Amino acid sequence: MTDLTRLTAVQTAAAIAARDTTATEVAQAHLDRIAKVDGQLHAFLHVDAEGALETARRVDAGEITGPLAGVPLALKDVIVQKGVPTTVGSRILEGWRPPYDATVVERLKAAGVVILGKTNMDEFAMGSSTEHSAYGPTHNPWDLDRIPGGSGGGSSAAVASFESPLAIGTDTGGSIRQPAAVTGTVGVKPTYGGVSRYGLVAFSSSLDQAGPCARTVLDAALLHEVIAGHDPRDSTSIPAPVPPVVEAARQADISGMTIGVVKELSGEGYQPGVEQRFAEAVETLTGLGAKVVEVSCPHFAYALPAYYLIAPSEASSNLARFDSVRYGLRVGDDGERGLEEVMSLTRAQGFGAEVKRRIILGTYALSSGYYDAYYGQAQKVRSLITRDFTEAFAMADVLVSPAAPTVAFPLGEKLSDPLAMYRQDLATIPSNLYGGPAMSLPCGLADGLPVGLQIMAPTMRDELLYRVGAAFEAAMPAPVPPLDWEA
Amino acid sequence: MSEITRDEVAHLARLSRLALDDDELGRLAGELDVILGAVAKIGEVSDAEGVTPMTHAVPLENVMRPDVVMPSLPRDDVLAAAPAAEDGRFRVPRILDEEQ
Amino acid sequence: MTVPYVEALQEFEPVIGLETHVELGTASKMFCGCDTTFGAAPNTHTCPVCLGLPGALPVVNEAAIASTIRIGLALHCDIATWCRFARKNYFYPDMPKNFQTSQYDEPLCTDGYLDVEVDGETVRIPIERVHLEEDTGKSLHVGGSTGRIHGATHSLVDYNRAGIPLVEIVTKPVTGTKAKPAEVAKAYVTELRDVLRGLGVSDVRMEQGSLRCDVNVSLNKPGAEWGTRSETKNVNSLRSVERAVRSEVERQAARLRAGERIVQETRHFHEDTGLSTSGRSKEEATDYRYFPEPDLVPVAPDAAWVASLKAALPEAPSSRRRRLIEQLALSTLDAEAMTNAGVLDLVLATVDAGAPAAEARNWWLGHLAQSANSRGSEPSELPITPVQVARVVELVADGSLTAGLARQVVDGVLAGEGEPDDVVESRGLAVVSDEGALTTAVDEAIAANSDAADKIRAGKVQAVGALVGAVMKATRGQADASVVRRLLLERLGVRE
Ligand SMILES: [Mg+2]
Ligand SMILES: [Zn+2]
């Protein structure tokens, strides 16, 4: 009998539809696998076996049908699901069960997707290694001593290790794409406004975007189509049809397309092995019939500084609501202390070091006297980066670069050096600032570890990512981790 | 360019309701200095003058909803999550601060 | 300690400023669909958005934008062609997100004015801005005295009010009020309230908190620069607006006279004493770290929409007042008396609701003015509407009520017993017009007062008054006295 956990989402859905298997068997197989390997990986913060089996039962009863009905999925713990613990990787929300569903969750449920549980992440999505989770790090299935990327390391590790064929991540500065790159999976940040943020616990409102994680480009496209589309509950949701991503993934033809290599996303900070795999990937794209040109985006050099002003500023405000009054942790309420002290103690103990660092940084950048020099200037740089993209897209249909500057690094290596950690997002941040869609997909190994190819497209042209990604994947399928650590 | 003092960090911590101890204040002062040093280079962007700040990636305007009442949450669900509740309300420690 | 008001204003020139917060009367909240109805059980009108639950997002209520623009137009403001909401960041338990979604440097309406009349003179109050924001929840302070925050052991928070659309109307500094800053301030708030009521955008009930005022006052020596201002919060009745300015003028004058400095500070007004106490000093003012609200997109009111809102504005209260005074041929003296008593608009509205002018005038200058006075409030703040007064007048006119019963009905309405008809019903106040029932009372009165009855039979008709009184007493005032008199004379066989 085939191992149900090794199937792609497309294969799983087809097998269930053809009654070769049942959604319940599929769900149970994945729950069993999680039970077997997650002790070593720690990709999940909460497994909802009961909820997963209930959805599977409804699919088997024919109550829900659709292209992903019965396919398991792992949900990043930054997205609220009614009645299921949501921590955002933080102590401050420990034990909180949301009284409502995120729009993304509503759509997954309506599509019959089987939500297995909530995945580990850097606290409040702040980090690039999942080591900033208050509940301990996730391990990379390629090498348990290495990071799975972040902030969505749990989602990508779950997909790479066959705990789930699909996962949802969120990407504020690269939190879907960098984990995808270092775990050898596919991760897509859709166009900002393409997927509703309603129910996504905010880190940086103007940058956050949820998107699909999968082992194949087509699987990602199917999930993209389920979660995307206009939502009147999110004022920044784009009222336009979802780009034809599934059709593009099936088309997988790039002959005649022009692909721009971004000059600024290479060189200093990029590992030689990564640059080598990237150069080969560009050759592959040429071989598939694309015309490759070099483009220059001079303001990308300022993307990282702009991001590290904008995101912490918005975060300092977004995280103010965690104050011990309406939900979450409360510390030091002894009947003597006043509210302000209880709030301050709660926040000091409930938030980890990285979150506090960014709150202080954001509070500083927004304070009067510094606003213009920091937050205001960063917003202007954002305009210039957008101008760079617009000019580049006048020359090329899509842009490419390495998705992450390095392969997965050892756990603990960058924990004491915030700046080194921040540089993991060098290549991914520009798309967040601009708002356009971007994908990371595997392009081989360096030192036995996965390297990611990043594809960037103009806003609301998400289908271009899938067209190029699927063509590339056909020529160069994703590597499979040896999983030699499995008991 | 900047030299962040422990007092400045203490002020920021007070604004953001974080009870940080002396060690944390000192460490954060140093880290903030390093981070601000690294991000200060955006000040060098010479062609930013006259550029409209971009607060958003979506060019939307006038997103509004009709004035229609929708169901609220059941109060028990709302209060179930509260660290403390009393008489249908959220209970908080005494407020020593002045009224806003 | 203080310098008397009149004396203070001979020595110093006042500059006042008013910030008025108005809760809009929309059906749903500013950024979510929760019901805005006043008086619901605590925390029953809350949802993920107005509770600031993680992940929830705001969406602007279109009716709130329209109402704000209409207020701006009625105050002769310029309407922004493009503006944004901003986050005002500060921690307070009443505020679920610990930032208030408000407007900062891009308000919807700017640069208008409102003309008000004080003792027959028109004073133009310049308006700086009208912007839209969200209201906060309400805290109940437990364990201290009279619900004060000081001395409380803990507080209880209700978020029903959190997120109700709140319009803030800010005047520019008002100079040249000479001897009457307190009177001008009160006249402004009164006129503003009438404008808002006329627009139908709010129920403007100060006692329910749907209209709230902050009052800024500074004094300077004639010709000198403006002085340092104080900002008095929580001024929640028209009378208090006047008292707050008055007491602040008296307090500041005393300090200045003693050579002391005025501290820029927030002061809290106390309705019970009519005085204010010092609050947070502005010198340690928090830094609100305003920035554009990233969860919302800009508001760009379409010119055609604004024009249509403008075309549909109701007549301004001031011009309506002038027109009605003319129509009803009120004497200037009468109109002035009503203005001074703060009842002119109420009389006019009662007339509008169908009552004859004389009746309307008598009610508002008589029984209702007395009721307001004994409650220490303004007639306009009484919990009775002109429509209800007109209904009482109608009930008297059709013979259902006597004058005495009508007063009881009005008192019932004031006591919160419902509509006039409800009070008539629940208190059993209908005129006893059943002549059968009255005849029994009449016969009993004749039997119990045989001396008087004999005198009447003998032709001393004026003695009938005592018997009428006895019958009225027996029927608890519910009989029509003229009917009783007629019946008595009939029974006694006397013709007038
Ligand atoms: Mg305000
Ligand atoms: Zn609500």
Side-chain angles (χ1 to χ4, degrees):
Chain A
M1 189 191 132
T2 51
D3 181 351
L4 292 173
T5 64
R6 294 284 171 149
L7 302 180
T8 64
V10 174
Q11 290 164 342
T12 306
I16 294 169
R19 303 200 174 272
D20 290 340
T21 183
T22 64
T24 304
E25 281 173 353
V26 170
Q28 193 57 58
H30 286 88
L31 291 168
D32 291 347
R33 174 141 185 92
I34 292 168
K36 183 175 166 221
V37 302
D38 207 56
Q40 285 165 282
L41 280 174
H42 195 224
F44 283 84
L45 291 177
H46 177 83
V47 177
D48 181 24
E50 204 180 311
L53 291 169
E54 168 60 16
T55 307
R57 187 198 60 75
R58 294 186 55 206
V59 171
D60 288 334
E63 290 170 31
I64 321 171
T65 56
L68 289 181
V71 178
L73 173 139
L75 187 63
K76 188 177 178 183
D77 203 26
V78 69
I79 291 179
V80 305
Q81 183 182 354
K82 191 174 174 177
V84 176
T86 299
T87 67
V88 202
S90 181
R91 286 278 171 223
I92 208 151
L93 263 187
E94 193 166 9
W96 184 56
R97 288 174 187 263
Y100 77 107
D101 273 334
T103 298
V104 163
V105 171
E106 274 183 2
R107 293 187 179 181
L108 291 170
K109 285 181 173 177
V113 173
V114 173
I115 303 173
L116 296 169
K118 309 296 289 287
T119 57
N120 200 8
M121 56 184 286
D122 285 299
E123 185 177 5
F124 282 97
M126 297 175 185
S128 306
S129 68
T130 314
E131 292 167 293
H132 294 307
S133 167
Y135 303 95
T138 296
H139 302 263
N140 191 321
W142 286 81
D143 177 351
L144 293 185
D145 295 329
R146 290 177 186 265
I147 59 106
S151 63
S155 282
S156 291
V159 170
S161 64
F162 302 98
E163 288 182 319
S164 176
L166 297 175
I168 296 288
T170 60
D171 192 315
T172 306
S175 287
I176 290 175
R177 290 163 288 159
Q178 183 258 7
V182 302
T183 58
T185 54
V186 179
V188 178
K189 179 198 90 75
T191 296
Y192 180 88
V195 176
S196 171
R197 290 186 296 116
Y198 191 79
L200 190 176
V201 181
F203 161 18
S204 179
S205 308
S206 77
L207 302 167
D208 296 340
Q209 189 63 200
C213 308
R215 290 192 293 268
T216 73
V217 172
L218 181 57
D219 280 5
L222 286 164
L223 181 53
H224 189 131
E225 198 164 67
V226 165
I227 60 173
H230 181 241
D231 178 12
R233 286 179 299 191
D234 174 359
S235 304
T236 62
S237 168
I238 296 171
V242 179
V245 292
V246 174
E247 192 191 311
R250 293 213 160 98
Q251 183 186 2
D253 170 23
I254 58 167
S255 53
M257 280 180 87
T258 305
I259 291 174
V261 174
V262 184
K263 196 174 88 182
E264 285 76 11
L265 299 181
S266 65
E268 199 198 324
Y270 291 81
Q271 274 177 357
V274 168
E275 295 219 276
Q276 216 170 333
R277 290 296 89 76
F278 175 68
E280 291 162 16
V282 171
E283 270 172 44
T284 304
L285 290 168
T286 312
L288 289 167
K291 183 181 159 207
V292 172
V293 297
E294 190 185 75
V295 298
S296 175
C297 297
H299 297 94
F300 280 20
Y302 303 100
L304 199 65
Y307 175 85
Y308 276 96
L309 289 167
I310 292 168
S313 294
E314 292 181 4
S316 71
S317 174
N318 282 330
L319 270 57
R321 69 189 62 197
F322 301 96
D323 63 358
S324 82
V325 174
R326 290 159 304 280
Y327 41 78
L329 187 70
R330 178 180 292 182
V331 172
D333 183 7
D334 58 2
E336 280 305 306
R337 290 193 175 98
L339 176 63
E340 184 178 334
E341 196 183 351
V342 169
M343 258 189 205
S344 303
L345 285 169
T346 302
R347 288 166 61 79
Q349 290 187 31
F351 291 138
E354 181 62 25
V355 172
K356 284 187 262 191
R357 189 149 51 223
R358 297 208 200 182
I359 288 174
I360 293 286
L361 174 60
T363 304
Y364 179 83
L366 285 179
S367 47
S368 62
Y370 299 107
Y371 183 94
D372 289 339
Y374 288 114
Y375 191 75
Q377 178 76 0
Q379 301 280 27
K380 288 181 179 175
V381 168
R382 202 173 168 182
S383 293
L384 293 169
I385 286 167
T386 297
R387 198 162 77 192
D388 284 357
F389 267 112
T390 310
E391 285 169 8
F393 287 128
M395 297 171 61
D397 298 305
V398 296
L399 308 180
V400 293
S401 77
T406 71
V407 295
F409 50 86
L411 285 159
E413 187 186 86
K414 299 188 199 301
L415 263 184
S416 56
D417 184 356
L419 284 182
M421 189 74 92
Y422 297 170
R423 278 194 289 271
Q424 275 294 301
D425 300 330
L426 270 178
T428 43
I429 280 173
S431 288
N432 296 91
L433 292 171
Y434 156 61
M439 169 188 279
S440 173
L441 78 166
C443 64
L445 304 176
D447 304 326
L449 293 166
V451 175
L453 166 66
Q454 177 173 234
I455 309 166
M456 295 165 273
T459 49
M460 284 311 272
R461 296 301 307 278
D462 304 47
E463 77 280 8
L464 293 177
L465 307 176
Y466 289 96
R467 204 173 133 192
V468 177
F472 183 83
E473 180 186 57
M476 200 175 170
V480 176
L483 303 177
D484 45 11
W485 44 267
E486 271 186 42
Chain B
M1 93 175 193
S2 52
E3 193 55 46
I4 304 291
T5 65
R6 182 188 297 248
D7 281 355
E8 275 180 278
V9 177
H11 172 68
L12 297 170
R14 160 98 168 74
L15 272 182
S16 46
R17 296 289 186 274
L18 288 169
L20 303 180
D21 59 32
D22 268 1
D23 281 357
E24 269 178 303
L25 289 176
R27 188 169 47 70
L28 273 166
E31 287 173 355
L32 214 57
D33 236 17
V34 172
I35 296 169
L36 286 172
V39 298
K41 72 187 264 193
I42 63 157
E44 302 162 5
V45 180
S46 53
D47 50 351
E49 218 156 299
V51 171
T52 311
M54 175 179 171
T55 51
H56 241 285
V58 287
L60 295 172
E61 280 175 356
N62 293 329
V63 176
M64 301 188 209
R65 61 181 182 85
D67 181 25
V68 175
V69 174
M70 303 291 276
S72 295
L73 286 171
R75 185 169 75 186
D76 290 347
D77 291 6
V78 167
L79 294 177
E86 188 177 310
D87 291 341
R89 298 173 171 90
F90 294 87
R91 182 186 163 130
V92 298
R94 60 210 173 101
I95 303 167
L96 299 171
D97 210 14
E98 269 306 331
E99 284 165 284
Q100 295 285 328
Chain C
M1 274 276 278
T2 61
V3 176
Y5 183 65
V6 175
E7 201 183 313
L9 294 168
Q10 283 161 357
E11 194 174 336
F12 299 101
E13 288 178 351
V15 179
I16 57 171
L18 291 124
E19 275 177 41
T20 313
H21 284 95
V22 187
E23 271 188 0
L24 294 180
T26 51
S28 66
K29 291 187 180 180
M30 184 63 227
F31 299 115
C32 65
C34 286
D35 195 334
T36 58
T37 309
F38 182 81
N43 293 305
T44 52
H45 290 174
T46 63
C47 75
V49 177
C50 59
L51 280 172
L53 295 192
L57 295 173
V59 185
V60 168
N61 182 339
E62 182 168 21
I65 300 283
S67 292
T68 309
I69 292 174
R70 293 178 69 228
I71 293 169
L73 290 169
L75 298 176
H76 313 96
C77 289
D78 300 329
I79 309 303
T81 52
W82 190 90
C83 67
R84 283 181 297 192
F85 285 93
R87 290 188 184 179
K88 180 182 184 181
N89 294 286
Y90 64 97
F91 282 82
Y92 207 70
D94 290 353
M95 208 168 45
K97 299 166 292 180
N98 287 315
F99 60 78
Q100 184 189 33
T101 307
S102 180
Q103 293 193 283
Y104 177 48
D105 48 359
E106 298 164 357
L108 255 175
C109 321
T110 49
D111 217 10
Y113 65 87
L114 181 63
D115 285 338
V116 303
E117 227 155 274
V118 181
D119 296 340
E121 245 183 90
T122 301
V123 182
R124 176 157 292 190
I125 309 294
I127 306 288
E128 167 98 34
R129 60 189 283 156
V130 177
H131 78 240
L132 188 51
E133 58 190 31
E134 56 180 339
D135 209 347
T136 60
K138 233 174 147 40
S139 291
L140 203 68
H141 306 298
V142 185
S145 59
T146 62
R148 291 270 182 83
I149 199 164
H150 290 289
T153 56
H154 62 281
S155 298
L156 300 175
V157 194
D158 169 15
Y159 293 105
N160 280 350
R161 211 180 67 178
I164 288 183
L166 196 64
V167 164
E168 183 173 323
I169 301 162
V170 185
T171 68
K172 292 178 181 164
V174 183
T175 57
T177 59
K178 296 175 196 130
K180 293 175 180 170
E183 293 82 347
V184 169
K186 181 184 170 192
Y188 164 75
V189 179
T190 308
E191 185 69 19
L192 181 61
R193 187 200 55 181
D194 292 346
V195 167
L196 296 167
R197 185 178 284 151
L199 289 169
V201 294
S202 168
D203 62 3
V204 285
R205 302 287 288 263
M206 291 190 90
E207 77 282 3
Q208 289 183 359
S210 59
L211 181 71
R212 315 195 282 269
C213 268
D214 300 343
V215 177
N216 299 335
V217 177
S218 73
L219 295 180
N220 56 269
K221 282 276 191 189
E225 270 180 47
W226 291 352
T228 305
R229 71 193 169 93
S230 66
E231 183 178 354
T232 306
K233 300 240 176 202
N234 291 345
V235 188
N236 293 336
S237 71
L238 293 174
R239 163 184 296 225
S240 296
V241 170
E242 183 166 5
R243 290 199 300 171
V245 175
R246 189 177 282 267
S247 71
E248 196 51 18
V249 165
E250 294 177 341
R251 186 188 70 84
Q252 289 189 15
R255 290 202 66 133
L256 291 171
R257 208 183 251 185
E260 289 169 57
R261 191 169 80 83
I262 304 298
V263 184
Q264 188 173 345
E265 63 181 350
T266 300
R267 301 184 64 83
H268 298 295
F269 187 77
H270 303 291
E271 291 284 335
D272 43 0
T273 59
L275 298 172
S276 63
T277 52
S278 176
R280 171 164 46 87
S281 153
K282 280 274 178 178
E283 278 150 322
E284 51 177 83
T286 67
D287 180 348
Y288 291 122
R289 289 158 285 138
Y290 284 100
F291 72 104
E293 166 57 279
D295 286 328
L296 294 172
V297 300
V299 176
D302 177 62
W305 186 42
V306 174
S308 73
L309 291 174
K310 188 168 189 177
L313 284 183
E315 185 180 14
S318 52
S319 85
R320 179 171 158 277
R321 220 172 283 143
R322 276 194 301 275
R323 186 170 55 76
L324 285 171
I325 286 170
E326 247 166 63
Q327 256 173 30
L328 299 174
L330 293 179
S331 73
T332 320
L333 208 68
D334 219 9
E336 213 160 272
M338 288 190 235
T339 307
N340 289 342
V343 300
L344 182 60
D345 277 340
L346 297 163
V347 170
L348 297 176
T350 308
V351 171
D352 269 0
E359 300 291 335
R361 177 190 178 283
N362 289 346
W363 273 109
W364 286 108
L365 278 176
H367 187 65
L368 288 167
Q370 284 160 27
S371 303
N373 199 42
S374 64
R375 286 167 174 245
S377 68
E378 298 289 321
S380 58
E381 290 166 330
L382 288 172
I384 189 168
T385 64
V387 172
Q388 290 169 327
V389 175
R391 174 63 184 154
V392 173
V393 170
E394 190 186 354
L395 288 171
V396 174
D398 72 13
S400 310
L401 291 178
T402 61
L405 288 175
R407 277 194 291 275
Q408 292 186 50
V409 171
V410 164
D411 292 342
V413 174
L414 291 174
E417 293 168 27
E419 292 297 314
D421 290 280
D422 300 335
V423 178
V424 168
E425 169 113 23
S426 61
R427 288 199 182 187
L429 292 179
V431 168
V432 178
S433 50
D434 174 1
E435 295 202 1
L438 277 184
T439 306
T440 313
V442 163
D443 288 346
E444 281 170 11
I446 291 170
N449 300 278
S450 53
D451 287 1
D454 288 345
K455 280 183 195 160
I456 297 163
R457 286 196 191 92
K460 225 181 150 196
V461 177
Q462 62 269 38
V464 81
L467 291 186
V468 172
V471 175
M472 292 302 285
K473 202 173 168 193
T475 56
R476 300 197 329 274
Q478 282 170 259
D480 183 327
S482 64
V483 175
V484 172
R485 181 188 161 92
R486 178 171 55 76
L487 287 174
L488 276 166
L489 294 177
E490 271 174 28
R491 287 309 254 195
L492 295 169
V494 179
R495 274 168 187 262
E496 269 187 289

